[in-house]
Amino acid sequence: MKKKLLATVGTVLGLSLLLTINAPTSTKADSNLLLASVEWVQAQLNPLQTKVASLEKQVAQQDAAIKQLQKAVAEGGTVVTPPVTTNPPTGTPAVIYTTASAKVHSGATRSYKVISTIVANKGLTVIGEHKGTDGIWYNVEISATVKGWIFSGDVSTTKPGNFVPSKVITKEATNVRKGATTNYTSLETVAKGSTLTYLGSFKNANGETWYNVQTPKGNKGWVLSTLTEVK
C-alpha cells in the first residue's frame, strides 16, 4: 500500500514538472514585439500631434486677426492691417518728432479713433510703417502697453532744438533717487537698458543735470543725466 502511494505521488510530481517545462511563457521575443508595436504607434501619432499643434496655432492667429478687424470696424475706420513684424522696414526712422500737436490714431488712416494727442517737439519710437493711399503712416509706441499710428506729415525725422523728451534710457545700472544729488537715498535700482518715463529735468548746485522720471514700477525719482539718454 505504501509503495502504491509513493508511486502515485511520484507520477503526480512528474506530470507537474512536465507541465511546468512545456507550458507557454512570455518570451523576450514577445516583449520585443510588443515594444516595437508601441513604438510604431507613437511614430504614427507624433506627426499628427505636430500637425494638430500647427493648426491650433494658425487658428489662434486667425482668431486674433478677426478680433482686430472687428475692433476696427466697430471704431468706424477703414481696415488697415498693421505690419506683422515689430521691426520697421529698411529706411524707416527709429525715432520721429512732432512738429506741432499731433494725433495718434488706432489705425493707419485719420478715420480711426484718436487714442492720444502728442504735444509739439516730442520724440516717438517707431516700431512699424504703413504706406497708405494718403502717404506714409508710422506705428509708434506711446507707452509700454499703448501703440498707435501717426501720419508722416505731422512729424519730422530731425530732432528739434526745443526737443521735449518722453523717455529716459539707462546706459548702465542706475539708482533712482529721492532727490537730484547722490546724497539722496535710492528708491530703486534699474538695470541697463531700462526705459523710464521722462517727467522733467533739474540742474543742481554742482552743475549736474538730473532727470525726473517714473519707473515701470511706478516710483518717481531722479536719475543722473550722464548715466542715461533721453529720447
Side-chain angles (χ1 to χ4, degrees):
M1 184 69 176
K2 188 180 291 185
K3 289 182 179 180
K4 288 184 179 180
L5 180 61
L6 290 174
T8 301
V9 171
T11 302
V12 171
L13 289 175
L15 289 172
S16 299
L17 181 60
L18 183 61
L19 288 172
T20 302
I21 293 172
N22 294 326
T25 59
S26 177
T27 65
K28 185 175 181 181
D30 294 331
S31 299
N32 290 340
L33 179 60
L34 179 60
L35 181 60
S37 300
V38 172
E39 290 176 348
W40 182 86
V41 171
Q42 289 177 338
Q44 301 306 308
L45 287 176
N46 287 339
L48 292 175
Q49 290 172 340
T50 302
K51 288 180 180 179
V52 169
S54 178
L55 288 172
E56 287 177 343
K57 183 178 179 181
Q58 291 177 24
V59 169
Q61 290 174 342
Q62 292 290 339
D63 186 53
I66 290 170
K67 287 180 180 179
Q68 185 179 35
L69 293 175
Q70 289 173 336
K71 181 181 178 182
V73 172
E75 292 175 348
T78 304
V79 174
V80 177
T81 304
V84 175
T85 177
T86 56
N87 296 320
T90 303
T92 301
V95 180
I96 54 175
Y97 307 92
T98 51
T99 53
S101 178
K103 291 179 172 56
V104 178
H105 298 260
S106 60
T109 69
R110 294 192 189 278
S111 58
Y112 275 92
K113 178 182 176 182
V114 175
I115 59 175
S116 182
T117 300
I118 309 297
V119 299
N121 304 317
K122 289 280 280 186
L124 296 168
T125 300
V126 178
I127 57 174
E129 178 185 300
H130 174 75
K131 292 182 179 179
T133 55
D134 55 348
I136 296 175
W137 285 76
Y138 295 123
N139 193 197
V140 295
E141 205 173 58
I142 307 302
S143 69
T145 56
V146 180
K147 298 169 180 61
W149 296 85
I150 193 167
F151 185 55
S152 57
D154 297 333
V155 297
S156 171
T157 57
T158 303
K159 185 176 180 179
N162 53 349
F163 166 65
V164 180
S166 60
K167 297 178 182 179
V168 178
I169 312 297
T170 56
K171 295 188 287 188
E172 58 184 81
T174 304
N175 287 313
V176 180
R177 299 184 181 275
K178 286 186 176 181
T181 71
T182 54
N183 295 328
Y184 285 90
T185 57
S186 175
L187 296 169
E188 181 184 340
T189 300
V190 293
K192 177 182 178 180
S194 297
T195 300
L196 312 173
T197 302
Y198 176 88
L199 301 176
S201 64
F202 175 75
K203 184 175 285 189
N204 63 19
N206 299 324
E208 299 170 331
T209 298
W210 288 71
Y211 298 132
N212 189 203
V213 298
Q214 182 172 346
T215 71
K217 291 183 178 180
N219 290 323
K220 293 182 179 180
W222 297 83
V223 292
L224 187 60
S225 62
T226 55
L227 305 178
T228 59
E229 178 184 4
V230 292
K231 291 186 176 181

